[in-house]
Amino acid sequence: MRTLNLTSQRQAVYDVVREAHDHPTAADVMNRLMERGYNLAYGTVYNSLRYLTDKELIRELKLGEAASRYDGRMDDHQHIICQVCGRVDEVMSEVPHDWIETVAHETGYTIAHAHVVFGGVCKECQSKRIK
């Protein structure tokens, strides 16, 4: 059993990430906290994000962007990124088992988990290109 020390600041950060559907960056979390009336230092927000990630309450996503993004959904899912606007959405399809077996055979690794990140152009950006 893991011991949690959810201070009021950590709880506030956790609530923002858990309620978000857009995989916010640390700066996004900071702005949303300010909108809710919190006045936390950037260091407190970053440390809270690290703590929550280490305790596996949220997931840090390093998606090839400069800034990490955070996901409050801990169930197994993938992500897709719009290469035009940077939007991140969830993909609920499972990674095919034969992919995992192929990678394990090719690399000699025992695969513990898989996270696939797709890239493409979202519907909104596609519609802007057509006009």
Side-chain angles (χ1 to χ4, degrees):
M1 185 172 153
R2 60 182 165 194
T3 307
L4 294 178
N5 181 14
L6 283 185
T7 62
S8 60
Q9 295 92 341
R10 289 175 181 162
Q11 184 67 53
V13 170
Y14 179 57
D15 291 343
V16 166
V17 174
R18 194 182 66 227
E19 294 165 11
H21 298 288
D22 61 346
H23 307 86
T25 64
D28 294 332
V29 171
M30 186 76 181
N31 290 336
R32 291 171 194 180
L33 287 166
M34 287 172 36
E35 289 170 2
R36 293 180 181 194
Y38 290 93
N39 187 19
L40 303 180
Y42 276 105
T44 301
V45 172
Y46 282 104
N47 290 338
S48 295
L49 290 167
R50 172 64 37 225
Y51 177 86
L52 295 167
T53 300
D54 289 347
K55 293 295 183 179
E56 299 179 348
L57 294 173
I58 64 172
R59 183 180 302 169
E60 180 179 15
L61 304 174
K62 297 181 182 186
L63 302 173
E65 302 172 337
S68 292
R69 298 177 80 119
Y70 295 89
D71 191 352
R73 288 191 66 169
M74 296 303 291
D75 58 339
D76 192 23
H77 63 280
Q78 316 315 311
H79 292 91
I80 188 165
I81 304 170
C82 178
Q83 295 169 313
V84 176
C85 69
R87 174 183 169 154
V88 178
D89 285 305
E90 293 168 336
V91 177
M92 300 315 294
S93 301
E94 290 184 26
V95 176
H97 188 69
D98 60 327
W99 286 13
I100 295 171
E101 288 178 348
T102 300
V103 170
H105 178 74
E106 185 178 308
T107 63
Y109 278 61
T110 300
I111 308 297
H113 63 87
H115 180 226
V116 177
V117 179
F118 297 91
V121 180
C122 70
K123 288 181 184 180
E124 288 80 9
C125 290
Q126 289 175 43
S127 66
K128 290 176 189 173
R129 287 182 169 181
I130 294 171
K131 293 179 183 178

